[in-house]
Amino acid sequence: MIKTRPLSFPKKFHWGFAAAAAQIEGAAFEDNKGPSIWDVFPTIPGKVHNGDSPEVACDHYHRYKQDIALMAKLGAKNYRLSVSWPRIFPSGRGPVNPKGIDFYNRLIDTCLAKGITPWVTMFHWDLPQALEDEFGGWRDRRTVDAFATYADTIVQAFGDRVKNWITLNEIYCFIHQGYADGTKAPGHKLPAKVVNQAYHHALLAHGHGVRAVREHGGRGARVGLTDNCVPMIPVTETPGDIAASQRAFIERNVRVLDPIYRGGYTATYRKIVGKDAAKFQKDDFKLISLPTDFLGLNTYTGEFVRAGKGGKPEILAKPRSYPAADATWLAHASQAMYWCPRHVAEIYGVKSVVITENGAGYDDVPDAKGEIMDLHRRDYVRCCLRELHRAIGDGVPVDGYFLWSFMDNYEWQDGYRIRFGVVYNDYATQKRTPKLSAQWFSKVMDENRIV
Ligand code: NOJ
């Protein structure tokens, strides 16, 4: 008789959903929240699709109770949310806004009451606009000082109930895309030297996030960075291509992972960055390389690599017909989910990887019956989970998986056009409808295996 072998995950594997404040909360100017750079960016013509702003988004600020109830109904035991810095410090620093603290107290308590463990990201891109206006945002070290106080404040406020902390989300995106190519807020196109300095400041902020958790997090507190290092997939799983993919991985991701895991700017960093290297102070790397408890990976896509002449890595261009999501950067390279965790474990000795985001963005449309048959999303996520399962089976230490995202939300410069949710959001009525992928993922979480 033919039997299906269950593709089970380890017993204590953490399944959950992920989202971020600016993408779902709305209430952008309510209860004393200060503007963030993402409230201002959409007003710059041509920067955001349709000029869409996060002002209302999913109105989660007012609907969080029903959202968390739905999340619980779908069986999530973990939820990765972020705190909005300008809700806590409307001007980035200075007096704390008690109404901001109250909101996250209510949100965290609601999660806990529903049996959902909150994983809290300190910074998911919504920098207070005041810090951009006064200091030039991450270009200036004073933003790091402001972040340190903010991190201390939120860990002190929520650390009695929040035990899983993520310092920063995707340094590459908010630094490179914010200051080098200008596709994300604050939308600058600045010289490489300035950009590398901004990277350095982000690394310092990460260090402060870790320090804040160690100082104020209390018993059982854990902390890590969420990185979106570019996965490098060997075209053939043979020693030559694997070695080339490792080299390509180090080189492409040198600005973030090397300083954190190797405690400094290595020879590889200096070779790649050259005269544009960041300036640093004597003790900076003590902070930057403070040990963490896990590394969060946001893994959506990857590059294919083969060994060229003398083993030199060659990154292959993807042909036009390579399958992708409607978010066109998201080529469906599911093997990234095997190789990215493996590379960070093998290269940097990471002992615990948590997939803090994976998913796919499309222009989903309800059918005549109002159902959303997103088989495309289900298939891609399923392929990714198979690769993750294989990685765990091979001994890669992966401890959790968070699906991005719980519901459709504000997709930054793509506005509301691209939907990443497994729950459909009708923005006109704010009605939430679980898609087919939500029903499927709910079973995955429940049975702790790929169904
Ligand atoms: C990464 C980001 O962290 C998240 O905010 C974004 O919406 C998703 N990827 C999809 O692009």
Side-chain angles (χ1 to χ4, degrees):
M1 210 181 49
I2 296 172
K3 265 198 165 170
T4 309
R5 265 183 304 145
L7 299 167
S8 299
F9 280 72
K11 262 213 176 81
K12 286 193 178 149
F13 197 75
H14 305 291
W15 294 103
F17 291 116
Q23 295 180 270
I24 59 169
E25 284 178 5
F29 306 107
E30 235 175 281
D31 288 343
N32 308 325
K33 177 183 163 290
S36 87
I37 54 174
W38 276 97
D39 294 316
V40 174
F41 190 60
T43 65
I44 307 172
K47 287 292 191 188
V48 174
H49 170 79
N50 200 33
D52 289 350
S53 91
E55 189 170 345
V56 178
C58 307
D59 195 32
H60 175 72
Y61 190 77
H62 300 111
R63 296 166 195 262
Y64 68 93
K65 276 197 184 142
Q66 69 190 53
D67 286 338
I68 301 301
L70 177 56
M71 211 179 274
K73 200 170 145 203
L74 291 171
K77 298 278 183 288
N78 298 279
Y79 173 37
R80 175 178 174 233
L81 60 100
S82 81
V83 172
S84 159
W85 184 351
R87 232 184 247 299
I88 306 295
F89 288 99
S91 312
R93 58 201 182 122
V96 173
N97 173 26
K99 289 191 172 164
I101 300 278
D102 286 353
F103 171 65
Y104 293 106
N105 273 332
R106 293 197 301 275
L107 178 58
I108 290 163
D109 291 345
T110 305
C111 288
L112 293 172
K114 289 280 179 196
I116 296 175
T117 301
W119 294 57
V120 175
T121 309
M122 297 173 179
F123 180 72
H124 200 126
W125 305 355
D126 44 356
L127 185 79
Q129 177 66 31
L131 298 177
E132 169 66 16
D133 294 341
E134 279 181 69
F135 304 146
W138 291 108
R139 280 171 279 180
D140 195 287
R141 207 171 162 113
R142 283 171 293 181
T143 293
V144 179
D145 300 336
F147 180 86
T149 306
Y150 161 65
D152 285 338
T153 307
I154 59 174
V155 177
Q156 280 167 337
F158 312 128
D160 55 337
R161 287 150 294 153
V162 172
K163 293 298 167 194
N164 297 284
W165 292 94
I166 291 156
T167 55
L168 311 177
N169 179 70
E170 298 193 352
I171 295 179
Y172 167 83
C173 277
F174 71 85
I175 297 296
H176 185 85
Q177 298 188 328
Y179 297 88
D181 70 27
T183 55
K184 284 196 164 69
H188 302 304
K189 290 184 180 172
L190 299 168
K193 200 169 180 61
V194 181
V195 177
N196 288 327
Q197 199 59 47
Y199 265 107
H200 187 71
H201 296 146
L203 292 169
L204 283 169
H206 159 73
H208 274 296
V210 178
R211 177 201 53 73
V213 172
R214 300 294 181 233
E215 282 178 16
H216 314 292
R219 275 187 57 195
R222 292 155 23 92
V223 61
L225 172 78
T226 275
D227 191 31
N228 62 326
C229 41
V230 181
M232 294 292 170
I233 305 163
V235 175
T236 66
E237 296 191 350
T238 54
D241 283 356
I242 292 174
S245 73
Q246 282 204 344
R247 219 171 113 187
F249 185 87
I250 297 169
E251 289 174 1
R252 177 66 76 87
N253 301 303
V254 79
R255 284 177 179 77
V256 174
L257 293 179
D258 251 34
I260 290 179
Y261 286 101
R262 294 187 166 150
Y265 289 135
T266 55
T268 316
Y269 174 90
R270 291 197 303 274
K271 198 176 116 211
I272 289 170
V273 177
K275 62 174 181 15
D276 295 319
K279 290 214 163 25
F280 52 89
Q281 295 176 9
K282 197 169 136 260
D283 290 333
D284 283 359
F285 290 106
K286 278 195 195 142
L287 192 64
I288 290 171
S289 64
L290 280 174
T292 55
D293 303 298
F294 59 87
L295 176 64
L297 292 181
N298 289 355
T299 304
Y300 288 91
T301 184
E303 300 287 359
F304 286 94
V305 186
R306 71 177 175 202
K309 253 207 186 124
K312 201 167 178 273
E314 276 178 19
I315 296 180
L316 307 187
K318 292 198 187 74
R320 199 169 45 86
S321 307
Y322 193 90
D326 292 344
T328 47
W329 55 268
L330 209 167
H332 284 337
S334 55
Q335 273 179 281
M337 199 54 106
Y338 176 88
W339 283 102
C340 197
R342 178 166 166 172
H343 280 336
V344 298
E346 286 189 321
I347 298 169
Y348 294 110
V350 172
K351 296 277 181 308
S352 170
V353 172
V354 176
I355 303 301
T356 40
E357 287 183 29
N358 168 247
Y362 307 95
D363 180 13
D364 300 309
V365 186
D367 66 15
K369 286 195 238 137
E371 281 190 83
I372 300 97
M373 291 295 179
D374 59 340
L375 287 164
H376 41 311
R377 178 176 288 104
R378 188 215 75 120
D379 280 4
Y380 184 56
V381 171
R382 195 175 193 284
C383 288
C384 289
L385 287 179
R386 288 210 57 149
E387 293 293 336
L388 195 64
H389 184 265
R390 178 164 81 104
I392 295 169
D394 285 356
V396 181
V398 185
D399 297 314
Y401 174 96
F402 290 71
L403 183 65
W404 184 275
S405 185
F406 172 61
M407 60 184 154
D408 297 331
N409 57 50
Y410 182 67
E411 179 52 16
W412 309 111
Q413 71 270 31
D414 286 325
Y416 296 102
R417 184 171 57 108
I418 298 284
R419 296 170 176 272
F420 269 88
V422 292
V423 171
Y424 184 85
N425 190 38
D426 179 336
Y427 291 104
T429 59
Q430 297 291 357
K431 183 168 177 253
R432 325 283 200 225
T433 309
K435 304 176 191 178
L436 176 100
S437 58
Q439 314 291 2
W440 170 80
F441 187 62
S442 168
K443 275 248 170 300
V444 171
M445 293 193 285
D446 181 44
E447 299 195 13
N448 197 29
R449 68 182 180 98
I450 302 172
V451 293

